[in-house]
Amino acid sequence: LTDRFFGQFGDTLQGKTVAAYWPIGEEIDIRPVLSGLAARDAVAALPVMGGKTGPLSFRQWRPGDDLIRVSFGVYEPEPGVPAADPDLVIVPLLGFDAAGNRIGYGGGYYDRTLASLRRHRDVRAVGVAYDEQECEKIPTDAGDVPLDVLLTERRTIVPPKDESID
């Protein structure tokens, strides 16, 4: 996955901020990507949950920085660590389809976050998962935000752009 990520985005990361997550449970391990960002002059960031209905915010992270455990067993940078505005967000998921739709953990955090970030700037969303997490079709609703790219340990999937006009 790390090679696939840097093969896809490596030339575009200098001076950019990449937000990811600290894996819990059986989530695919994105920590090697986080650790490799500094070598490419990019800033790594991790999410911070503010409340149940708001978007995530992000704080900078470097290898060796302490993290604190919060709700749902999630790890976040400590308070006081500088905030970060991501250019690219690596999104965890439970399931995905080839159209770039995902099933998360049901809180809507990443959908709200991506929608909020994209109101102010161009932010790319990259879903990461094991190949076996692909589903034929993920049901969606108006609040769901599709992913721009999906990376598994075996494949890179670039969903087709929806060019329909409302």
Side-chain angles (χ1 to χ4, degrees), residues 111-122:
D111 291 316
R112 286 191 304 275
T113 300
L114 292 169
S116 175
L117 290 170
R118 287 177 174 170
R119 279 193 284 272
H120 306 288
R121 57 199 283 220
D122 182 32

Side-chain angles (χ1 to χ4, degrees), residues 13-82:
L13 296 175
Q14 185 174 5
K16 303 290 184 186
T17 298
V18 178
Y21 61 91
W22 200 260
I24 58 172
E26 299 296 317
E27 291 177 331
I28 197 161
D29 192 354
I30 201 71
R31 289 175 294 190
V33 170
L34 283 165
S35 295
L37 290 169
R40 288 161 176 82
D41 294 323
V43 174
L46 292 174
V48 175
M49 292 187 291
K52 291 184 179 184
T53 60
L56 299 166
S57 60
F58 297 91
R59 292 187 190 134
Q60 295 179 22
W61 177 86
R62 284 178 277 191
D65 283 359
D66 290 331
L67 298 172
I68 56 173
R69 189 174 176 164
V70 297
S71 302
F72 310 110
V74 172
Y75 289 89
E76 298 178 350
E78 294 181 328
V81 172

Side-chain angles (χ1 to χ4, degrees), residues 70-135:
V70 297
S71 302
F72 310 110
V74 172
Y75 289 89
E76 298 178 350
E78 294 181 328
V81 172
D85 293 318
D87 300 291
L88 187 145
V89 178
I90 299 173
V91 181
L93 50 87
L94 295 175
F96 68 91
D97 65 22
N101 301 307
R102 65 180 276 280
I103 294 175
Y105 293 97
Y109 286 101
Y110 279 94
D111 291 316
R112 286 191 304 275
T113 300
L114 292 169
S116 175
L117 290 170
R118 287 177 174 170
R119 279 193 284 272
H120 306 288
R121 57 199 283 220
D122 182 32
V123 175
R124 298 197 66 194
V126 180
V128 292
Y130 294 103
D131 215 47
E132 292 78 18
Q133 290 175 267
E134 184 173 12
C135 302

